[in-house]
Amino acid sequence: MSQTVHEQPLTAAAPAAGENGTAGTGAPAVRLSKVTKVFGRADGAPVLDNIDLTVAPGEFVCLLGASGCGKSTLLNLVAGLDKPSAGTIEVNGGRPALMFQEHALFPWLKAGKNVELALKLRGVPREQRREEAQKLLALVRLDTAYEKRVHELSGGMRQRVALARALAQSGEVLLMDEPFAALDAITRDVLHDELTRIWADTGRSVVFVTHNVREAVRLAQRVVLMSSRPGRIAREWTIDIPQPRRIESPDVSALSIEITEQLRGEIRRHGKH
Amino acid sequence: MASTDLTKTAAADVPSSDDVAGLEAGLDALETYEKDRAPLWRTALGKIGPPILAIAFMLLVWQIAYWAEVKPRYALPSPADVWDAFMVQWQAGEVHQILWVSLERAFLGFLMAIAIGTPLGLLVARVRWVRAAIGPLLSGLQSLPSVAWVPPAVIWFGLNNSAIYAVVLLGAVPSIAQGIVSGVDQVPPLFIRAGRVLGATGLLGVWHVLLPASLPGYLAGLKQGWAFSWRSLMAAELIAASPDLGYGLGQLMNQGRDLGDMPMMLTAVFMILLVGIGIELLFFSPLEKLVLRQRGLLISK
Ligand SMILES: Nc1ncnc2c1ncn2[C@@H]1O[C@H](COP(=O)(O)OP(=O)(O)O)[C@@H](O)[C@H]1O
Ligand SMILES: [Mg+2]
């Protein structure tokens, strides 16, 4: 197996896309320029400080960082749930979809109707919704779950329905905020395989947030490491290990160990005051 | 797209798509289960049995008190006396009419209370200054016994149906509004955010997310609102008795008092009780259970 890892200097903020052959179409899927976020008083300490990040169309980027470094904040900004204190955010290809750590499915709707609601809000005519929802459920291999109530599904199934609902949105960009963090290891592995397949099938651009280094290396074309307080982009790695990868494979492990060292370094800095 | 060359390089130790599907199917099967439900007759028996026993016990205590003459016979008739008084009225066809007059008032009043209380509750729940202004008033009104409204209502509206409806509304609207306020307050912010991501903002968000999410609280408010409607109506009918007004349960009670006819008064009391319990058991309780069960919020043993 071949493995090439390009490390990139801190300043290379609009990278990777070209060499992966994903760019070409011009406009990036997501572009953040000098994004800063301060909660509360304007002169308070920023949670995000001057973030520059570009995601190419079809690219799979993992945002990695310790808990509390501002990953969710960043994703909420991109999703439009919150406004940056400074800087600009550009998202192309329609309103981005966002998956949360908790499935956030609506318990008053059956699984299939949850997917249909996304289709409805996007303006898909009523006659087409059911068939479309069935297709999306089939894509996450839940063909039989249409009539199921949310509470009748296991954690992994709920996240797959949530993924189907996210894919029902027209947006080209899929944002995922630690969507598998609450699942057991085997289920998570399976969902990694599924996500990789679906990403390849649908060509979405994915920004996947996690604090799990192996998960990031398992999934991403590019791993972006964030520092904490203030949240900045500390470093990034482009990963050429072919997909589908195995989370236990030596390639993934080797790179994970390297990134983990960096992450630990980042965290250690905060203890030295 | 970058994704096109992904699968080609898959090595032998990498799981194939079929492996993943199989594994996934296994996980799904292990984690889901079908609950078998007890047969209908057993659920029915379990639900109806205990209250019947309780009623039988109370009748027995009553009968013993009657035999022991705890109170003089005219003040404490036996269950059989009350039953006879009830049957006489039933056969005369009066019971249906009396019941109908009260039920019609109660339903109409309740519907009006829903129509007023629901938007009011939504306003209080969602508009900050409205909440600050009338939120406390709303909870205060809930604890005010609605009988207190009867005298002023009679003076304002006269001895007529308007006065009765005013009392019913003052009793029921605060409960219904309060119900939707607490329903909305309990909606997890995650649902609102998920809705916004899907494009359900503004009124679309209210319709597709906020209202369905707050339904359990709203139903609880409706249930209480019904109880208050009924209670307020009885208070109003009992006090605002006049020949011009339709003859309802409260008026029956009042007439019993005027005639010193204890069985008649007790008949009225039991019918008031029966309607209250009946609507709760036949309507609100199943509706509430249905909603909670759909959402997996009801643990059925
Ligand atoms: N709405 C908010 N108001 C104030 N502080 C917030 C808010 N949301 C997040 N924070 C703070 O911002 C920091 C980053 O949070 P978050 O983005 O959730 O981190 P992560 O997702 O990386 O764990 C945390 O220190 C958190 O306390
Ligand atoms: Mg987070």
Side-chain angles (χ1 to χ4, degrees), chain B residues 123-149:
Chain B
L123 270 181
V124 172
R126 298 299 284 177
V127 185
R128 196 174 313 162
W129 64 266
V130 177
R131 172 180 291 224
I134 62 173
L137 186 67
L138 220 51
S139 11
L141 274 179
Q142 254 186 302
S143 54
L144 179 74
S146 38
V147 204
W149 289 113

Side-chain angles (χ1 to χ4, degrees), chain A residues 124-194:
Chain A
V124 175
R126 181 187 294 270
E127 325 73 81
Q128 295 167 26
R129 278 184 223 144
R130 177 156 187 138
E131 198 189 330
E132 186 74 9
Q134 281 287 13
K135 266 192 220 154
L136 287 162
L137 285 176
L139 186 64
V140 295
R141 291 204 244 252
L142 279 175
D143 317 56
T144 55
Y146 187 95
E147 297 287 341
K148 285 270 194 313
R149 294 269 164 203
V150 173
H151 67 93
E152 295 169 325
L153 303 171
S154 69
M157 293 161 92
R158 285 176 202 175
Q159 283 306 46
R160 274 144 68 201
V161 176
L163 178 58
R165 182 173 75 172
L167 294 171
Q169 292 188 245
S170 58
E172 281 299 308
V173 176
L174 177 56
L175 309 169
M176 307 179 85
D177 192 354
E178 310 203 29
F180 307 145
L183 303 176
D184 65 273
I186 292 186
T187 307
R188 196 184 312 141
D189 280 353
V190 169
L191 284 179
H192 288 158
D193 293 335
E194 294 293 38

Side-chain angles (χ1 to χ4, degrees), chain A residues 22 95 160 169 194 243 246, chain B residues 2 6 9 13 24 28 197:
Chain A
T22 48
R95 185 206 316 276
R160 274 144 68 201
Q169 292 188 245
E194 294 293 38
Q243 291 280 18
R246 290 199 66 143
Chain B
L6 278 174
T9 38
D13 64 332
E24 198 159 45
D28 293 352
V197 169

Side-chain angles (χ1 to χ4, degrees), chain B residues 18-264:
Chain B
D18 284 349
D19 285 349
V20 174
L23 188 55
E24 198 159 45
L27 282 169
D28 293 352
L30 279 175
E31 289 203 56
T32 44
Y33 55 94
E34 300 287 328
K35 227 187 351 271
D36 41 15
R37 297 186 71 172
L40 201 63
W41 64 266
R42 197 184 293 164
T43 354
L45 198 68
K47 273 188 189 147
I48 298 172
I52 286 186
L53 276 179
I55 290 171
F57 179 73
M58 280 186 288
L59 283 175
L60 185 70
V61 170
W62 179 4
Q63 186 66 45
I64 290 172
Y66 173 76
W67 281 328
E69 284 200 65
V70 175
K71 292 276 173 194
R73 294 254 144 120
Y74 71 88
L76 184 66
S78 74
D81 294 340
V82 175
W83 180 252
D84 289 343
F86 174 76
M87 282 319 283
V88 167
Q89 282 187 332
W90 180 272
Q91 270 146 16
E94 278 172 28
V95 175
H96 317 71
Q97 261 181 7
I98 295 172
L99 255 181
W100 181 244
V101 167
S102 286
L103 276 178
E104 194 188 48
R105 282 176 181 153
F107 279 130
L108 219 66
F110 183 52
L111 287 182
M112 284 195 284
I114 292 179
I116 299 171
T118 306
L120 182 69
L122 271 179
L123 270 181
V124 172
R126 298 299 284 177
V127 185
R128 196 174 313 162
W129 64 266
V130 177
R131 172 180 291 224
I134 62 173
L137 186 67
L138 220 51
S139 11
L141 274 179
Q142 254 186 302
S143 54
L144 179 74
S146 38
V147 204
W149 289 113
V150 181
V154 167
I155 289 175
W156 290 329
F157 300 100
L159 260 181
N160 53 36
N161 275 328
S162 309
I164 289 186
Y165 285 126
V167 174
V168 169
L169 287 183
L170 283 164
V173 168
S175 300
I176 295 174
Q178 193 65 44
I180 201 160
V181 170
S182 53
V184 168
D185 285 351
Q186 283 161 21
V187 175
L190 183 64
F191 287 162
I192 310 278
R193 278 154 30 93
R196 280 176 61 193
V197 169
L198 295 175
T201 50
L203 278 182
L204 278 179
V206 170
W207 179 249
H208 287 297
V209 182
L210 198 67
L211 279 181
S214 53
L215 191 60
Y218 183 50
L219 269 184
L222 285 187
K223 190 165 95 172
Q224 209 190 17
W226 162 256
F228 276 53
S229 293
W230 187 237
R231 228 191 268 182
S232 317
L233 177 68
M234 289 306 111
E237 282 188 351
L238 184 59
I239 299 182
S242 133
D244 312 336
L245 280 171
Y247 194 82
L249 280 171
Q251 280 100 355
L252 176 68
M253 170 94 98
N254 192 45
Q255 197 192 10
R257 187 181 61 186
D258 288 347
L259 299 177
D261 185 343
M262 199 62 195
M264 188 190 262

